[in-house]
Amino acid sequence: MDSSAQDFQPRTFSVKLWPPSESTRLLLVERMTKNLSNKSIFSRKYGLLGQEEAHENAERIEHLCFASANEQFNKEPDGDGSSAVQLYAKETSKMMLEVLKKGPRTASESEAPIADAPLKPADTVLDISGGKRAFIEADEAKELLSPLTKPGNSYYKICFSNRSFGVDAANVAGPILESVKNQLTEVDMSDFVAGRPEDEALDVMRIFSKALEGAVLRYLNISDNALGEKGVRAFSELLKSQENLEELYVMNDGISEDAAKALSELIPSTEKLKVLHFHNNMTGDEGAVYVAEMVKRSPNLESFRCSATRIGPDGGVALSEALGTCTHLKKLDLRDNLFGVDAGIALSRTLPKLPGLVELYLSDLNLENKGTVAIVSALKQSAPQLEVLELAGNEINAKAAPALAEFLTAMQSLKKLTLAENELKDDGAVIIAQSLEDGHADLKELDVSTNMLQRVGARCFARAVANKPGFVHLNINANFISDEGIDEVKDMLKAGKNSLDVLGSLDENDPEGEPDDDEEEDDEDAKDDDDQDGLDSKLQNVKVEQDD
């Protein structure tokens, strides 16, 4: 039997390797759900998916990949199905990675159409994203969009995501879209030119843009299209006609300085904008200046995501200052940039102007002790209702622990706290854990993995959460906790109101290891290498990796 098929399916097929049984497909969905919802290097950078969202994505991925693989199998009916199995494996892994990098959807995004789970009646939302991930030709475009041609239809929301339109298909779609554009308020054109040559993709964007020009949209998603400046300008006619946008998603689009400038120039008004997401672009310091200009013009912004955009200290300062106009902000995600201490201090000056903050994601920003202390000191006075705070990977050590503890004592609404990949050691752990022990009845998740903790620090954190009624997850993995210390942690959790179920995996804990005591004179100069584990190690429980 082909080795790739053995990796994929532990049972044997009597004649062919394809198709898999229904039980096998269901098992794959379960495995993907587990991997998508488990903590990993991706969740630390992009956010952790909830169980329900992970399951929805797993079902969608399996459905799409099975359809593509089945189509491949039908092209070679005399084969043994090995090529279909390989395609099934490859596409599954690829799409899981895309979901992990996109991160959890926000409350506003949860309203977006999802394959197999329509959120609106069939006669108001047209979602063609649920079919096979494939090129769309003219005949299929005509068939897919035919509901829009029926007289008196009331469609206001369209999702093209996951289908790739060529010029011929776009020429069919254009007149149809133009005929209904006056009733449309929400359009999702994310990932709708995948695999097309650049010139063709740009032509498709221009056709759609021209057709939709003048539509009064509240929601526009043009993510996952590798836009760059050319792509942004290909949407010129549509963008220039938008003055009522409430949600704009431009994620994973190769948005550079020039592209950010074009976007800022083209959209005439962001006065009503509530959601602006720029995740995973190449914006940099120069591009951040233009993003900051858009932010300044968006006083009603409630959710701003600018994570993984290569923004350094100068851009971080500009963006932090611009956020001062967004006094209605509830969710702020700046993870995985190169802000540094100065940008952290600039952000601390802005935070008092954002009294409604509920979720704040500041992991992997090189804040160090000084930037971290400035930020938590500002939050202590301005955001008592904060529910989520992520500060992983910021080189925070025990010297910042007193300020963190004072801040945490005041944060009684906190539900999730992430301090992973820092250098707290036991000295810092004792101080921080004590501040969490009393009160904090709503705390559900605490992540202090990779902090050079030993027996004492682990025990303190276990004691802090053992009796919190709704607590669900304690992550103390990748530390130096002795076997005896692990036993004590388990005993504390069992003796409290929570069971051992709240204790996360300990597969990376090193009971024989010890923290490095050789500290630099200036602790702010100490640097840790980021964990660069590949996709295979993070998704190893899903046996669908393609053999080389």
Side-chain angles (χ1 to χ4, degrees):
M1 181 180 292
D2 186 279
S3 61
S4 64
Q6 289 176 334
D7 284 346
F8 162 71
Q9 167 61 15
R11 300 176 183 174
T12 59
F13 294 98
S14 57
V15 179
K16 292 181 180 291
L17 304 179
W18 189 266
S21 67
E22 186 64 26
S23 61
T24 297
R25 295 180 64 186
L26 292 174
L27 179 60
L28 178 60
V29 171
E30 292 178 6
R31 288 174 176 170
M32 286 194 291
T33 299
K34 180 178 180 181
N35 278 287
L36 289 171
S37 58
N38 278 353
K39 288 181 177 294
S40 67
I41 185 174
F42 297 105
S43 67
R44 289 197 292 270
K45 285 193 174 185
Y46 308 121
L48 181 66
L49 273 68
Q51 187 75 14
E52 182 178 350
E53 184 180 358
H55 184 69
E56 289 175 357
N57 277 288
E59 286 188 325
R60 177 177 62 85
I61 290 171
E62 194 284 327
H63 173 76
L64 295 174
C65 293
F66 177 84
S68 296
N70 206 46
E71 183 179 17
Q72 172 70 25
F73 177 70
N74 290 333
K75 292 178 180 178
E76 46 180 39
D78 296 329
D80 65 357
S82 60
S83 61
V85 169
Q86 290 175 2
L87 180 63
Y88 193 40
K90 179 180 178 181
E91 289 300 307
T92 302
S93 294
K94 178 182 176 182
M95 292 185 70
M96 287 182 71
L97 179 58
E98 291 173 355
V99 169
L100 289 168
K101 285 189 173 182
K102 187 174 182 180
R105 60 178 179 253
T106 63
S108 55
E109 287 175 317
S110 66
E111 298 176 0
I114 300 172
D116 301 323
L119 299 179
K120 294 291 180 181
D123 61 345
T124 60
V125 177
L126 181 64
D127 182 356
I128 66 171
S129 68
K132 61 183 182 297
R133 188 182 181 87
F135 285 178
I136 301 299
E137 304 305 335
D139 290 345
E140 189 173 4
K142 183 177 180 180
E143 179 182 353
L144 288 170
L145 299 179
S146 61
L148 298 176
T149 65
K150 295 179 180 178
N153 76 78
S154 56
Y155 290 99
Y156 74 91
K157 186 172 187 175
I158 302 178
C159 178
F160 298 103
S161 183
N162 196 50
R163 301 298 187 95
S164 180
F165 283 77
V167 170
D168 290 343
N171 282 328
V172 170
I176 297 175
L177 291 177
E178 190 166 4
S179 70
V180 297
K181 67 180 180 182
N182 290 334
Q183 67 195 51
L184 296 178
T185 60
E186 303 183 27
V187 174
D188 185 344
M189 290 185 284
S190 60
D191 193 21
F192 84 130
V193 290
R196 302 287 180 178
E198 181 181 282
D199 289 345
E200 182 178 19
L202 292 172
D203 285 341
V204 171
M205 292 175 193
R206 293 186 188 102
I207 293 169
F208 274 74
S209 174
K210 177 62 177 176
L212 293 168
E213 180 184 10
V216 183
L217 302 180
R218 62 160 296 275
Y219 173 103
L220 177 61
N221 190 341
I222 53 175
S223 302
D224 302 305
N225 284 312
L227 296 177
E229 182 191 9
K230 293 180 181 179
V232 171
R233 295 200 180 278
F235 278 116
S236 289
E237 290 175 288
L238 172 61
L239 294 175
K240 286 192 293 187
S241 66
Q242 299 308 303
E243 298 188 1
N244 292 279
L245 279 179
E246 295 179 17
E247 300 183 38
L248 176 62
Y249 301 88
V250 196
M251 302 185 290
N252 193 31
D253 266 333
I255 300 298
S256 61
E257 173 189 359
D258 292 336
K261 180 181 180 182
L263 197 63
S264 178
E265 291 174 349
L266 288 171
I267 299 179
S269 174
T270 55
E271 183 75 22
K272 297 181 180 180
L273 207 60
K274 295 181 180 180
V275 179
L276 178 59
H277 285 197
F278 270 97
H279 167 70
N280 198 29
N281 283 298
M282 46 192 292
T283 312
D285 276 348
E286 294 79 6
V289 173
Y290 297 106
V291 177
E293 289 182 2
M294 290 185 66
V295 169
K296 283 181 183 178
R297 302 196 302 267
S298 308
N300 291 300
L301 208 58
E302 295 179 5
S303 176
F304 178 60
R305 186 179 187 187
C306 200
S307 50
T309 49
R310 307 182 187 181
I311 297 176
D314 292 341
V317 170
L319 205 54
S320 296
E321 292 175 349
L323 286 166
T325 64
C326 306
T327 55
H328 299 284
L329 205 63
K330 296 178 181 178
K331 179 176 180 178
L332 176 59
D333 185 350
L334 300 172
R335 283 174 289 187
D336 195 17
N337 284 299
L338 302 170
F339 275 32
V341 175
D342 289 344
I345 292 174
L347 181 60
S348 74
R349 298 191 184 106
T350 293
L351 290 173
K353 302 174 184 178
L354 313 177
L357 267 183
V358 176
E359 300 180 30
L360 183 58
Y361 301 89
L362 302 177
S363 294
D364 301 299
L365 290 179
N366 298 333
L367 296 175
E368 304 179 8
N369 282 348
K370 189 174 181 180
T372 301
V373 169
I375 285 170
V376 298
S377 297
L379 287 171
K380 181 179 63 176
Q381 304 297 330
S382 63
Q385 74 293 327
L386 196 68
E387 295 181 2
V388 177
L389 177 63
E390 291 194 5
L391 284 168
N394 277 305
E395 302 174 35
I396 306 168
N397 63 30
K399 293 182 179 179
L404 275 167
E406 187 175 346
F407 154 74
L408 291 171
T409 299
M411 296 292 107
Q412 291 299 316
S413 296
L414 207 59
K415 294 180 179 179
K416 177 181 178 180
L417 175 63
T418 300
L419 294 170
E421 296 182 0
N422 284 300
E423 304 163 12
L424 294 175
K425 299 185 179 180
D426 282 356
D427 289 345
V430 171
I431 298 170
I432 292 172
Q434 186 174 6
S435 71
L436 293 171
E437 192 165 345
D438 294 330
H440 294 95
D442 295 328
L443 188 65
K444 290 178 171 55
E445 298 180 49
L446 175 62
D447 187 348
V448 286
S449 58
T450 318
N451 261 291
M452 305 182 189
L453 303 182
Q454 293 180 285
R455 177 183 174 186
V456 172
R459 289 177 58 193
C460 288
F461 281 122
R463 183 184 300 113
V465 303
N467 289 300
K468 299 195 184 305
F471 193 80
V472 295
H473 189 76
L474 172 64
N475 187 357
I476 55 173
N477 203 8
N479 284 301
F480 307 121
I481 309 165
S482 65
D483 291 338
E484 184 180 5
I486 295 296
D487 289 339
E488 290 172 339
V489 165
K490 292 179 177 179
D491 288 341
M492 286 180 178
L493 293 176
K494 287 190 291 187
K497 294 180 180 179
N498 296 306
S499 69
L500 280 179
D501 292 341
V502 305
L503 183 60
S505 172
L506 294 168
D507 60 333
E508 297 180 23
N509 181 61
D510 182 5
E512 306 296 330
E514 293 184 3
D516 183 3
D517 291 329
D518 295 327
E519 297 183 359
E520 298 289 340
E521 182 176 346
D522 184 356
D523 62 279
E524 305 299 357
D525 291 334
K527 304 290 182 185
D528 284 335
D529 292 331
D530 289 333
D531 185 356
Q532 297 295 330
D533 288 346
L535 176 64
D536 288 345
S537 65
K538 293 303 176 186
L539 305 182
Q540 58 186 346
N541 290 332
V542 179
K543 302 297 184 182
V544 294
E545 293 84 6
Q546 179 182 13
D547 285 353
D548 293 326

PDB file of all heavy atoms in Angstrom, residues 18 63-73 84 87 91 132-134:
ATOM      1  N   TRP A  18      -9.228   5.397  -2.525  1.00  0.00           N
ATOM      2  CA  TRP A  18     -10.209   6.489  -2.524  1.00  0.00           C
ATOM      3  C   TRP A  18     -11.561   5.934  -2.978  1.00  0.00           C
ATOM      4  O   TRP A  18     -11.611   5.079  -3.853  1.00  0.00           O
ATOM      5  CB  TRP A  18      -9.759   7.604  -3.473  1.00  0.00           C
ATOM      6  CG  TRP A  18     -10.603   8.835  -3.349  1.00  0.00           C
ATOM      7  CD1 TRP A  18     -11.701   9.164  -4.092  1.00  0.00           C
ATOM      8  CD2 TRP A  18     -10.446   9.877  -2.398  1.00  0.00           C
ATOM      9  NE1 TRP A  18     -12.227  10.346  -3.672  1.00  0.00           N
ATOM     10  CE2 TRP A  18     -11.473  10.809  -2.617  1.00  0.00           C
ATOM     11  CE3 TRP A  18      -9.530  10.120  -1.365  1.00  0.00           C
ATOM     12  CZ2 TRP A  18     -11.611  11.961  -1.873  1.00  0.00           C
ATOM     13  CZ3 TRP A  18      -9.665  11.261  -0.630  1.00  0.00           C
ATOM     14  CH2 TRP A  18     -10.692  12.171  -0.868  1.00  0.00           C
ATOM     15  N   HIS A  63     -14.862  19.380   3.750  1.00  0.00           N
ATOM     16  CA  HIS A  63     -15.822  19.376   2.645  1.00  0.00           C
ATOM     17  C   HIS A  63     -15.163  19.855   1.354  1.00  0.00           C
ATOM     18  O   HIS A  63     -15.298  19.225   0.292  1.00  0.00           O
ATOM     19  CB  HIS A  63     -17.015  20.270   3.002  1.00  0.00           C
ATOM     20  CG  HIS A  63     -17.986  20.464   1.881  1.00  0.00           C
ATOM     21  ND1 HIS A  63     -18.884  19.493   1.512  1.00  0.00           N
ATOM     22  CD2 HIS A  63     -18.188  21.517   1.035  1.00  0.00           C
ATOM     23  CE1 HIS A  63     -19.602  19.936   0.486  1.00  0.00           C
ATOM     24  NE2 HIS A  63     -19.205  21.160   0.184  1.00  0.00           N
ATOM     25  N   LEU A  64     -14.433  20.960   1.425  1.00  0.00           N
ATOM     26  CA  LEU A  64     -13.800  21.519   0.240  1.00  0.00           C
ATOM     27  C   LEU A  64     -12.699  20.610  -0.293  1.00  0.00           C
ATOM     28  O   LEU A  64     -12.592  20.387  -1.503  1.00  0.00           O
ATOM     29  CB  LEU A  64     -13.218  22.904   0.562  1.00  0.00           C
ATOM     30  CG  LEU A  64     -14.220  23.998   0.917  1.00  0.00           C
ATOM     31  CD1 LEU A  64     -13.494  25.256   1.358  1.00  0.00           C
ATOM     32  CD2 LEU A  64     -15.126  24.301  -0.262  1.00  0.00           C
ATOM     33  N   CYS A  65     -11.876  20.077   0.614  1.00  0.00           N
ATOM     34  CA  CYS A  65     -10.750  19.247   0.187  1.00  0.00           C
ATOM     35  C   CYS A  65     -11.229  17.897  -0.353  1.00  0.00           C
ATOM     36  O   CYS A  65     -10.646  17.361  -1.298  1.00  0.00           O
ATOM     37  CB  CYS A  65      -9.776  19.037   1.361  1.00  0.00           C
ATOM     38  SG  CYS A  65      -8.948  20.554   1.865  1.00  0.00           S
ATOM     39  N   PHE A  66     -12.277  17.362   0.244  1.00  0.00           N
ATOM     40  CA  PHE A  66     -12.829  16.109  -0.272  1.00  0.00           C
ATOM     41  C   PHE A  66     -13.361  16.320  -1.691  1.00  0.00           C
ATOM     42  O   PHE A  66     -13.148  15.485  -2.582  1.00  0.00           O
ATOM     43  CB  PHE A  66     -13.955  15.601   0.634  1.00  0.00           C
ATOM     44  CG  PHE A  66     -14.624  14.357   0.118  1.00  0.00           C
ATOM     45  CD1 PHE A  66     -14.084  13.106   0.368  1.00  0.00           C
ATOM     46  CD2 PHE A  66     -15.782  14.444  -0.639  1.00  0.00           C
ATOM     47  CE1 PHE A  66     -14.683  11.962  -0.125  1.00  0.00           C
ATOM     48  CE2 PHE A  66     -16.390  13.309  -1.134  1.00  0.00           C
ATOM     49  CZ  PHE A  66     -15.843  12.058  -0.881  1.00  0.00           C
ATOM     50  N   ALA A  67     -14.052  17.435  -1.910  1.00  0.00           N
ATOM     51  CA  ALA A  67     -14.604  17.709  -3.229  1.00  0.00           C
ATOM     52  C   ALA A  67     -13.501  17.841  -4.267  1.00  0.00           C
ATOM     53  O   ALA A  67     -13.606  17.300  -5.381  1.00  0.00           O
ATOM     54  CB  ALA A  67     -15.448  18.983  -3.194  1.00  0.00           C
ATOM     55  N   SER A  68     -12.416  18.548  -3.920  1.00  0.00           N
ATOM     56  CA  SER A  68     -11.301  18.713  -4.854  1.00  0.00           C
ATOM     57  C   SER A  68     -10.627  17.375  -5.148  1.00  0.00           C
ATOM     58  O   SER A  68     -10.300  17.069  -6.303  1.00  0.00           O
ATOM     59  CB  SER A  68     -10.277  19.695  -4.275  1.00  0.00           C
ATOM     60  OG  SER A  68     -10.829  20.981  -4.133  1.00  0.00           O
ATOM     61  N   ALA A  69     -10.411  16.576  -4.095  1.00  0.00           N
ATOM     62  CA  ALA A  69      -9.759  15.286  -4.270  1.00  0.00           C
ATOM     63  C   ALA A  69     -10.641  14.329  -5.058  1.00  0.00           C
ATOM     64  O   ALA A  69     -10.157  13.538  -5.876  1.00  0.00           O
ATOM     65  CB  ALA A  69      -9.414  14.689  -2.907  1.00  0.00           C
ATOM     66  N   ASN A  70     -11.933  14.396  -4.831  1.00  0.00           N
ATOM     67  CA  ASN A  70     -12.857  13.521  -5.547  1.00  0.00           C
ATOM     68  C   ASN A  70     -12.875  13.863  -7.038  1.00  0.00           C
ATOM     69  O   ASN A  70     -12.967  12.979  -7.897  1.00  0.00           O
ATOM     70  CB  ASN A  70     -14.260  13.649  -4.962  1.00  0.00           C
ATOM     71  CG  ASN A  70     -15.084  12.401  -5.179  1.00  0.00           C
ATOM     72  OD1 ASN A  70     -14.611  11.280  -4.953  1.00  0.00           O
ATOM     73  ND2 ASN A  70     -16.306  12.569  -5.638  1.00  0.00           N
ATOM     74  N   GLU A  71     -12.791  15.152  -7.327  1.00  0.00           N
ATOM     75  CA  GLU A  71     -12.721  15.577  -8.718  1.00  0.00           C
ATOM     76  C   GLU A  71     -11.454  15.039  -9.373  1.00  0.00           C
ATOM     77  O   GLU A  71     -11.476  14.579 -10.519  1.00  0.00           O
ATOM     78  CB  GLU A  71     -12.755  17.104  -8.801  1.00  0.00           C
ATOM     79  CG  GLU A  71     -12.761  17.632 -10.225  1.00  0.00           C
ATOM     80  CD  GLU A  71     -12.819  19.143 -10.271  1.00  0.00           C
ATOM     81  OE1 GLU A  71     -12.536  19.774  -9.231  1.00  0.00           O
ATOM     82  OE2 GLU A  71     -13.122  19.697 -11.342  1.00  0.00           O
ATOM     83  N   GLN A  72     -10.347  15.080  -8.627  1.00  0.00           N
ATOM     84  CA  GLN A  72      -9.089  14.527  -9.122  1.00  0.00           C
ATOM     85  C   GLN A  72      -9.232  13.033  -9.396  1.00  0.00           C
ATOM     86  O   GLN A  72      -8.790  12.513 -10.420  1.00  0.00           O
ATOM     87  CB  GLN A  72      -7.979  14.760  -8.091  1.00  0.00           C
ATOM     88  CG  GLN A  72      -6.650  14.077  -8.387  1.00  0.00           C
ATOM     89  CD  GLN A  72      -5.929  14.702  -9.560  1.00  0.00           C
ATOM     90  OE1 GLN A  72      -6.158  15.880  -9.854  1.00  0.00           O
ATOM     91  NE2 GLN A  72      -5.088  13.934 -10.229  1.00  0.00           N
ATOM     92  N   PHE A  73      -9.876  12.316  -8.486  1.00  0.00           N
ATOM     93  CA  PHE A  73     -10.061  10.869  -8.635  1.00  0.00           C
ATOM     94  C   PHE A  73     -10.914  10.545  -9.857  1.00  0.00           C
ATOM     95  O   PHE A  73     -10.654   9.582 -10.584  1.00  0.00           O
ATOM     96  CB  PHE A  73     -10.701  10.290  -7.372  1.00  0.00           C
ATOM     97  CG  PHE A  73     -11.000   8.825  -7.465  1.00  0.00           C
ATOM     98  CD1 PHE A  73      -9.974   7.891  -7.479  1.00  0.00           C
ATOM     99  CD2 PHE A  73     -12.310   8.375  -7.546  1.00  0.00           C
ATOM    100  CE1 PHE A  73     -10.238   6.532  -7.552  1.00  0.00           C
ATOM    101  CE2 PHE A  73     -12.589   7.019  -7.629  1.00  0.00           C
ATOM    102  CZ  PHE A  73     -11.552   6.095  -7.634  1.00  0.00           C
ATOM    103  N   ALA A  84      -5.469  11.230  -5.405  1.00  0.00           N
ATOM    104  CA  ALA A  84      -6.558  11.911  -4.694  1.00  0.00           C
ATOM    105  C   ALA A  84      -6.243  12.023  -3.218  1.00  0.00           C
ATOM    106  O   ALA A  84      -6.491  13.056  -2.585  1.00  0.00           O
ATOM    107  CB  ALA A  84      -7.875  11.154  -4.906  1.00  0.00           C
ATOM    108  N   LEU A  87      -3.669  14.763  -2.730  1.00  0.00           N
ATOM    109  CA  LEU A  87      -4.265  16.085  -2.848  1.00  0.00           C
ATOM    110  C   LEU A  87      -5.101  16.416  -1.610  1.00  0.00           C
ATOM    111  O   LEU A  87      -5.057  17.542  -1.099  1.00  0.00           O
ATOM    112  CB  LEU A  87      -5.142  16.143  -4.106  1.00  0.00           C
ATOM    113  CG  LEU A  87      -5.847  17.489  -4.368  1.00  0.00           C
ATOM    114  CD1 LEU A  87      -4.821  18.589  -4.601  1.00  0.00           C
ATOM    115  CD2 LEU A  87      -6.787  17.377  -5.568  1.00  0.00           C
ATOM    116  N   GLU A  91      -4.046  19.708   0.560  1.00  0.00           N
ATOM    117  CA  GLU A  91      -4.969  20.832   0.670  1.00  0.00           C
ATOM    118  C   GLU A  91      -5.500  21.000   2.090  1.00  0.00           C
ATOM    119  O   GLU A  91      -5.727  22.117   2.548  1.00  0.00           O
ATOM    120  CB  GLU A  91      -6.136  20.642  -0.315  1.00  0.00           C
ATOM    121  CG  GLU A  91      -5.744  20.819  -1.769  1.00  0.00           C
ATOM    122  CD  GLU A  91      -5.180  22.204  -2.042  1.00  0.00           C
ATOM    123  OE1 GLU A  91      -5.839  23.194  -1.692  1.00  0.00           O
ATOM    124  OE2 GLU A  91      -4.064  22.290  -2.595  1.00  0.00           O
ATOM    125  N   LYS A 132     -16.411  23.574  -4.269  1.00  0.00           N
ATOM    126  CA  LYS A 132     -15.010  23.170  -4.369  1.00  0.00           C
ATOM    127  C   LYS A 132     -14.129  24.387  -4.625  1.00  0.00           C
ATOM    128  O   LYS A 132     -14.528  25.357  -5.272  1.00  0.00           O
ATOM    129  CB  LYS A 132     -14.825  22.151  -5.495  1.00  0.00           C
ATOM    130  CG  LYS A 132     -15.189  22.649  -6.882  1.00  0.00           C
ATOM    131  CD  LYS A 132     -15.025  21.529  -7.900  1.00  0.00           C
ATOM    132  CE  LYS A 132     -15.349  22.029  -9.311  1.00  0.00           C
ATOM    133  NZ  LYS A 132     -16.744  22.454  -9.455  1.00  0.00           N
ATOM    134  N   ARG A 133     -12.925  24.334  -4.103  1.00  0.00           N
ATOM    135  CA  ARG A 133     -11.968  25.417  -4.292  1.00  0.00           C
ATOM    136  C   ARG A 133     -11.383  25.288  -5.699  1.00  0.00           C
ATOM    137  O   ARG A 133     -10.474  24.487  -5.932  1.00  0.00           O
ATOM    138  CB  ARG A 133     -10.866  25.314  -3.239  1.00  0.00           C
ATOM    139  CG  ARG A 133      -9.899  26.493  -3.206  1.00  0.00           C
ATOM    140  CD  ARG A 133      -8.840  26.229  -2.139  1.00  0.00           C
ATOM    141  NE  ARG A 133      -7.904  27.315  -2.030  1.00  0.00           N
ATOM    142  CZ  ARG A 133      -8.073  28.384  -1.261  1.00  0.00           C
ATOM    143  NH1 ARG A 133      -9.164  28.480  -0.544  1.00  0.00           N
ATOM    144  NH2 ARG A 133      -7.175  29.337  -1.202  1.00  0.00           N
ATOM    145  N   ALA A 134     -11.938  26.026  -6.652  1.00  0.00           N
ATOM    146  CA  ALA A 134     -11.550  25.830  -8.041  1.00  0.00           C
ATOM    147  C   ALA A 134     -11.773  27.096  -8.851  1.00  0.00           C
ATOM    148  O   ALA A 134     -12.415  28.040  -8.399  1.00  0.00           O
ATOM    149  CB  ALA A 134     -12.362  24.681  -8.643  1.00  0.00           C
TER     150      ALA A 134
END
